[in-house]
């Protein structure tokens, strides 16, 4: 069975909103089942990982802990996920295992009294700074999982965000922050899942008296449980009773109690995250510029000064045992090596403590070898008088180029998370709240922080403004641009009772909306959460890359050693002429430079970044095109799809059934028949039942069908005014129809199967009517009263206009479409013929759809299921790839890996095409990464030197190593140029 996402609920943009979805919800069903037993799951943010070898080191360290059932580490996301037996190992021991592996770890968590999970835990989000690659992610996750009380942890490198589920009675958020900082990373709390807690920035506190005034106000506010004010960050954290005090009332109470002295600002977690990303990039830039400013003088002394007699003479001036130039070089490089380059030693130390090697180890070894040898050459020259060449410049330039590469990586990786940042920017910071009196009349308006909006608030949205939250229009008429959600740029009409989505743009008229979903419950927030979840997932192909990287680094270190021994021993044995040696050099130095170049150039960072960066960009691109993807594993499977199985009703058809024909076979008139059938169907939720009710009401009352509240109210009044009969013993029979008693008579409304199973003979005229309906792709409904067929109803569900073209497009792409339906064979064949599907499975009960899918999966075929209804959920879960129509039910969307937000079948082609493009890019990324090492390592080792005299100095090798990772990330960024395939191109249609 394909993995599913728990707690994920989506509804159509037009009639609902996303329910809560969390980053930690994407885990295997097998683990979930075991977690319900004796196992626990925690997630840890790991800092200090720089390559795939680091992540493997963390995984090995975790799996080496007795009691750990499973450990998974995601490099780019800076996270580790551990499943363990709490009777054998504690959270703290898991954390210690990561730290012993040479990395820093933090368990993300936040206590809560009111919004806890069934296990008494809460979710906390933390920003983590200092992570540079996927190895850092793995380290942080490992550390977090070791913390006591931490259940789950997930860390994302691109967003510098970690999410931790923890038990607040065991561990606090401060403990988590301290654990990450102790591991050498920066950490700060962002937000938690608590509904009874808020973090506010306070403006106006400048003295101790102000602090006392603030604390006095909070102490007097009824409903405040506890609070903490950080005098340094000016942040106020308040825990309150939501049944007594709302967040907006809390803010108003504090500001009012201070007489306007204090101004409170709700902290936007995503803004803080973005500032953290900028700070990390700025920090790396400062290190690079500092290293460059000290390396440039070294370069000038080596290259330029010999051509300027005065300066060169000054450098050659004897000062003690050394020349002035030697003193300057030594001083400058020492600062670069041990002050600016300290971060490499810290990270390398963490890795070596775990018995692993990563990029930092390679850089530290290479630069230290250059530095130590240069110092040794100076001291040896001062003692013996034989002056060998020094390589201080090499050490400094090597660190400079590595820092440049890391800075460029932070910029490039920052761009991969642009999708989330852009979505966040769509949410307005403030909103206009309409103030009402006790009688409900609007008496004024005021600006409030959008984070303080509460369900039921009436908000004013001006033309050109963004809708602050999900809600319903209560006054006004306008059009809205909902392209951020649906990917469709055509404006959507909004009038009274229309649903609006937070973040969409009101184009023309003013609107008054009533807030229905706020905070994390809005559609936009749930899209952000889904994209975050997908970007933090690890595709199966990445695990193979992680394995390669885990053995790659030790292999390279060994190769470097053999390179040194080979050149050095060959020189001693006269294997090559002394003319090859540098001036005043020797065989040892000559061999050492080749060995250092091999160590530096062979960093496997590019391998670790090849998959996650592409997945991150692809999920962002998909979201902007109305296709939500729930993980990298889904992307990988989707590009191999062989069969696409379509549900009929609501998927291939519009799902808006309408009555087209009514036939009466007795003395009963049409109105009596419709009243009888409507009474029987009134208790049913089936789409066909709703179509019959709508048609019957219109027949009797001549009102136009409408979805507004007024029409619904009229319908209810009409229903209870006596036109519908009383019904008893009602029961709905899936796949057949309904049965009940009306005025003592037994009523059956349904298909042939229902009628014949109850022993009722279908007369020829009724049979002919049903056959005619079925052959014209409509559904025939028979009505029986006391064992007699009294009438029949024909119902049509029009096909979606793009259905036939999409089916043809799939065939062109090499994907075979199949239709499965619970409808009868005649109707199914008629619909299939109209859309061009040749493989049809009809009269399939809901539970049987999963069996149909399994039959297609035989032989290893990858099967996708496209559906929208509750009855499609088992099939969506059973398929390798479930694609839920965005207008479908929450349960169907929960079971799927892809959500087609526009409810347009063309997005099935987009989903498959994007998956194929993404993995094509991933394969190219691996080609770039592997080819780089395959070509560069032999050159660095001097394999071609005897023939071409070509060699890579260590500082050039450092530049190449840095650029390799940047090239892979930039390659992934090319996916941002993805354009949805045009059906005309797929079908090879020439449009005049």
């Amino acid at each position: 069975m394909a993995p599913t996402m728990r707690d994920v609920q989506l509804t159509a943009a037009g009639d609902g909103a996303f329910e809560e979805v969390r980053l930690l919800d994407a885990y295997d069903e097998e683990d979930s089942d075991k977690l319900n037993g004796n196992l626990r799951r925690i997630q840890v943010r790991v800092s200090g990982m720089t390559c795939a070898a680091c992540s493997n080191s963390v995984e090995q360290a975790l799996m080496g802990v007795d009691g750990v059932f499973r450990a998974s580490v995601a490099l780019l996301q800076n996270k580790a996920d551990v499943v363990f037996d709490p009777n054998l190992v504690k959270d703290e021991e898991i954390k210690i295992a990561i730290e012993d592996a040479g990395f820093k770890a933090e368990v993300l968590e936040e206590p809560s009294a009111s919004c806890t999970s069934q296990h008494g835990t809460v979710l906390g989000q933390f920003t983590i700074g200092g992570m540079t690659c996927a190895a850092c992610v793995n380290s942080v996750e490992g550390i977090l999982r070791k913390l006591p009380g931490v259940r789950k942890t997930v860390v994302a490198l691109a967003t510098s965000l970690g999410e931790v589920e923890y038990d607040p009675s065991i561990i606090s958020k401060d403990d988590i922050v301290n654990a990450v900082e102790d591991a050498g990373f920066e950490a700060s709390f962002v937000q938690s899942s608590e509904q009874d807690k808020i973090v506010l920035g306070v403006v106006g506190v400048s003295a101790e008296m102000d602090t006392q005034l603030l604390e006095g106000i909070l102490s007097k506010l009824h409903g405040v449980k506890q609070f903490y004010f950080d005098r340094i960050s000016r942040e106020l954290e308040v825990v309150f009773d939501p049944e007594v005090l709302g967040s907006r009332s809390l803010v108003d109470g504090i500001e009012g109690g201070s007489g306007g002295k204090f101004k409170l600002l709700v902290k936007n977690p995503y803004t803080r995250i973005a500032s953290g990303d900028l700070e990390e990039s700025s920090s790396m830039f400062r290190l690079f510029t500092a290293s460059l400013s000290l390396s440039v003088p070294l370069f000038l002394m080596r290259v330029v000064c010999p051509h300027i007699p005065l300066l060169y003479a000054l450098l050659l001036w004897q000062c003690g045992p050394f020349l002035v130039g030697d003193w300057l070089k030594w001083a400058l490089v020492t600062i670069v090596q041990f002050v600016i380059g300290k971060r490499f030693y810290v990270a390398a130390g963490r890795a070596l403590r775990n018995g692993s090697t990563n990029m930092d180890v390679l850089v530290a070894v290479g630069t230290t070898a250059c530095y130590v040898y240069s110092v040794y050459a100076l001291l040896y020259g001062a003692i013996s008088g034989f002056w060998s060449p020094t390589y201080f410049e090499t050490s400094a330039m090597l660190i400079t180029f590595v820092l440049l590469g890391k800075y460029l990586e932070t910029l490039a990786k920052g761009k991969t998370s642009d999708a989330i940042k852009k979505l966040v920017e769509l949410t307005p910071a403030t909103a206009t709240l309409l103030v009402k009196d006790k009688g409900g009349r609007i008496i004024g308006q005021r600006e409030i922080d959008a984070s303080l909006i509460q369900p039921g608030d009436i908000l004013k949205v001006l033309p050109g403004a963004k809708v602050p939250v999900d809600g319903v229009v209560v006054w006004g008429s306008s059009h809205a641009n909902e392209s951020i959600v649906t990917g469709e740029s055509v404006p959507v009409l909004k009038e009274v009772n229309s649903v609006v989505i937070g973040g969409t743009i009101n184009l023309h008229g003013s609107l008054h909306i009533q807030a229905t979903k706020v905070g994390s419950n809005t559609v936009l927030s749930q899209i952000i959460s889904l994209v975050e979840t997908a970007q933090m997932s690890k595709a199966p192909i990445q695990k193979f890359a992680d394995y390669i990287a885990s053995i790659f680094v030790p292999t390279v270190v060994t190769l470097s050693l053999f390179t040194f021994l080979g050149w050095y021993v060959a020189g001693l044995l006269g294997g090559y002429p002394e003319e090859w040696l540098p001036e005043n050099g020797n065989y040892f130095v000559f061999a050492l430079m080749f060995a250092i170049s091999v160590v530096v150039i062979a960093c496997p960072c590019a391998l670790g970044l090849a998959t996650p960066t592409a997945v991150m960009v692809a999920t962002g691109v998909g979201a902007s095109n109305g296709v939500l993807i729930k993980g990298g594993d889904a992307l990988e499977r989707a590009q191999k799809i062989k069969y696409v199985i379509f549900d009929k009703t609501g998927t291939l058809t519009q799902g808006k059934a309408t009555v087209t024909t009514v036939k009466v076979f007795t003395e009963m008139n049409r109105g009596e028949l419709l009243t009888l059938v409507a009474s029987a169907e009134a208790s049913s939720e089936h789409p066909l039942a709703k179509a019959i009710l709508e048609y019957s009401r219109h027949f009797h009352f001549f009102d136009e069908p409408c979805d507004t509240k007024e029409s619904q109210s009229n319908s209810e009044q009409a229903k209870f005014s006596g036109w519908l009969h009383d019904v008893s013993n009602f029961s709905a029979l899936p796949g057949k129809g309904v049965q009940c008693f009306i005025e003592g008579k037994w009523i059956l409304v349904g298909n042939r199967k229902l009628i014949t199973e109850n022993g009722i003979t279908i007369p020829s005229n009724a049979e002919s009517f049903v056959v005619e309906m079925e052959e014209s792709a409509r559904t025939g409904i028979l009505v029986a009263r006391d064992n007699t067929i009294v009438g029949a109803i024909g119902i049509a569900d029009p096909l979606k206009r793009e259905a036939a073209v999409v089916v043809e497009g799939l065939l062109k792409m090499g994907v075979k479409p199949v239709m499965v339906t619970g409808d009868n064979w005649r109707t199914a064949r008629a619909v299939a013929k109209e859309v061009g599907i040749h493989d049809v499975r009809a009269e399939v009960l809901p539970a049987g759809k999963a069996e149909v899918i399994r039959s297609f999966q035989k032989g290893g075929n990858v099967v996708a299921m496209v559906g929208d209804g509750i009855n499609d959920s088992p099939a969506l879960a059973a398929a390798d790839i479930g694609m839920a129509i965005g207008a479908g039910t929450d349960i169907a969307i929960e079971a799927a890996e892809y959500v087609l937000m526009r409810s347009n079948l063309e997005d099935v082609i987009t989903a498959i095409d994007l998956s194929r493009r993404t993995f094509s890019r991933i394969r190219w990324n691996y080609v770039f990464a592997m080819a780089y090492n395959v070509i560069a390592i032999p050159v660095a080792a001097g394999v071609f030197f005897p023939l071409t005299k070509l060699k890579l100095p260590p500082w050039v090798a450092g530049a190449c190593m840095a650029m390799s990772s940047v090239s892979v990330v930039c390659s992934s960024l090319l996916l941002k140029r993805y354009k949805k395939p045009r059906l005309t191109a797929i079908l090879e249609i020439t449009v005049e």
Side-chain angles (χ1 to χ4, degrees), residues 189-337:
F189 170 72
V190 177
Q191 64 179 355
S192 76
S193 60
E194 294 176 309
Q195 300 299 319
D196 60 355
K197 181 177 180 180
I198 190 171
V199 179
L200 304 165
V202 185
V203 178
V205 177
S206 57
E208 182 63 26
M209 293 183 61
D210 296 330
T211 302
Q212 294 176 0
L213 173 61
L214 176 62
E215 293 176 348
I217 295 172
L218 288 166
S219 300
K220 295 177 182 179
L221 281 177
H222 184 54
V224 173
K225 294 181 179 180
Q226 61 185 36
F227 58 87
Y228 171 74
F229 178 66
D230 190 323
R231 290 172 170 81
I232 299 177
S233 65
R234 295 291 192 271
E235 288 187 357
L236 174 64
E237 183 179 291
V238 184
V239 178
F240 58 94
D241 186 348
E243 296 182 359
V244 178
L245 183 67
S247 58
R248 188 164 68 240
S249 300
L250 171 65
V251 171
D252 292 343
I254 297 174
E255 292 182 343
S258 68
K261 180 177 179 59
F262 301 145
K263 178 65 176 177
L264 302 184
L265 304 173
V266 179
K267 291 292 184 177
N268 186 321
Y270 292 102
T271 300
R272 297 166 69 184
I273 292 169
S275 64
D277 292 341
L278 180 61
E279 182 178 348
E280 180 181 3
S281 179
S282 299
S283 175
M284 197 63 64
F285 181 72
R286 287 194 298 269
L287 289 174
F288 162 67
T289 53
S291 180
L292 180 63
S293 64
L294 295 177
S295 300
V296 168
L298 294 170
F299 176 79
L300 295 177
M301 282 187 285
R302 178 102 181 193
V303 178
V304 178
C305 289
H307 302 287
I308 305 175
L310 182 60
L311 290 178
Y312 193 54
L314 181 61
L315 294 176
L316 295 178
W317 182 40
Q318 190 74 26
C319 182
F322 310 121
L323 302 177
V324 170
D326 293 332
W327 281 114
L328 288 174
K329 291 178 182 178
W330 192 354
L332 293 173
V333 173
T334 299
I335 297 174
V336 175
Q337 185 75 34

Side-chain angles (χ1 to χ4, degrees), residues 860-923:
N861 294 321
V862 177
V863 178
M865 171 69 190
V866 184
D868 70 316
I870 293 177
N871 60 354
D872 296 326
S873 300
L876 289 169
D880 298 291
I881 294 292
M883 296 184 181
I885 298 296
T889 65
D890 296 341
I891 297 177
I893 292 172
E894 177 184 348
E897 283 82 19
Y898 281 71
V899 181
L900 312 182
M901 290 302 301
R902 298 190 308 159
S903 299
N904 191 316
L905 292 178
E906 292 180 20
D907 289 338
V908 174
I909 290 180
T910 300
I912 297 175
D913 183 69
L914 178 58
S915 300
R916 292 180 177 180
R917 296 283 188 89
T918 300
F919 269 81
S920 175
R921 179 58 53 186
I922 288 175
R923 293 186 187 98

Side-chain angles (χ1 to χ4, degrees), residues 646-657 687-688 777-779 795-804 819 821 823 827-828 830-832 834-835 837 866 868 885 887 903-905:
F646 291 96
D647 173 50
K648 180 178 74 71
T649 305
T651 302
L652 289 173
T653 65
Q654 296 179 13
K656 297 179 181 179
L688 299 185
R778 288 177 285 179
T779 300
I795 299 178
D797 186 1
L799 287 171
K800 290 182 177 178
R801 60 182 181 180
E802 74 275 9
M819 189 183 79
T821 178
D823 213 334
T827 302
V831 171
E834 196 169 344
V835 298
I837 294 179
V866 184
D868 70 316
I885 298 296
S903 299
N904 191 316
L905 292 178

Side-chain angles (χ1 to χ4, degrees), residues 137-182:
V137 174
N138 297 330
S139 296
V140 173
E141 288 187 343
I143 291 170
L144 290 175
R145 288 175 183 159
K146 290 181 180 178
L147 293 177
V150 173
R151 304 293 174 84
K152 304 175 187 176
T153 293
V154 62
V155 179
L157 175 63
T159 58
S160 296
L161 178 68
E163 185 173 278
V164 181
E165 182 177 341
Y166 64 97
D167 186 342
S169 64
I170 301 176
I171 190 172
S172 70
K173 70 177 188 302
D174 294 329
D175 296 329
I176 295 172
V177 170
N178 293 334
V180 175
E181 292 180 343
D182 290 343

Side-chain angles (χ1 to χ4, degrees), residues 77 89 116 167 185 376 497 513 586 593 607 716 792 804 828-829:
Q77 289 74 24
V89 62
T116 59
D167 186 342
F185 298 90
Y376 166 79
N497 296 316
I513 67 168
N586 53 41
M593 292 301 104
L607 280 175
E716 290 297 315
R829 277 195 293 262

Side-chain angles (χ1 to χ4, degrees), residues 605-671:
C605 286
L607 280 175
L609 295 172
T611 297
T613 53
V615 169
M616 291 184 70
V617 175
T619 51
V621 169
S624 64
N625 283 280
V627 178
L628 297 184
I629 308 166
K630 295 184 181 178
D633 54 342
L635 273 169
E636 184 165 350
R637 293 196 303 273
Q639 48 115 15
K640 302 176 182 177
I641 290 176
K642 181 70 173 179
Y643 294 95
V644 173
I645 298 180
F646 291 96
D647 173 50
K648 180 178 74 71
T649 305
T651 302
L652 289 173
T653 65
Q654 296 179 13
K656 297 179 181 179
T658 56
V659 175
T660 60
T661 309
V662 177
K663 192 80 169 179
V664 182
F665 300 121
T666 64
E667 299 81 10
M668 182 184 301
N669 62 43
R670 183 185 295 256

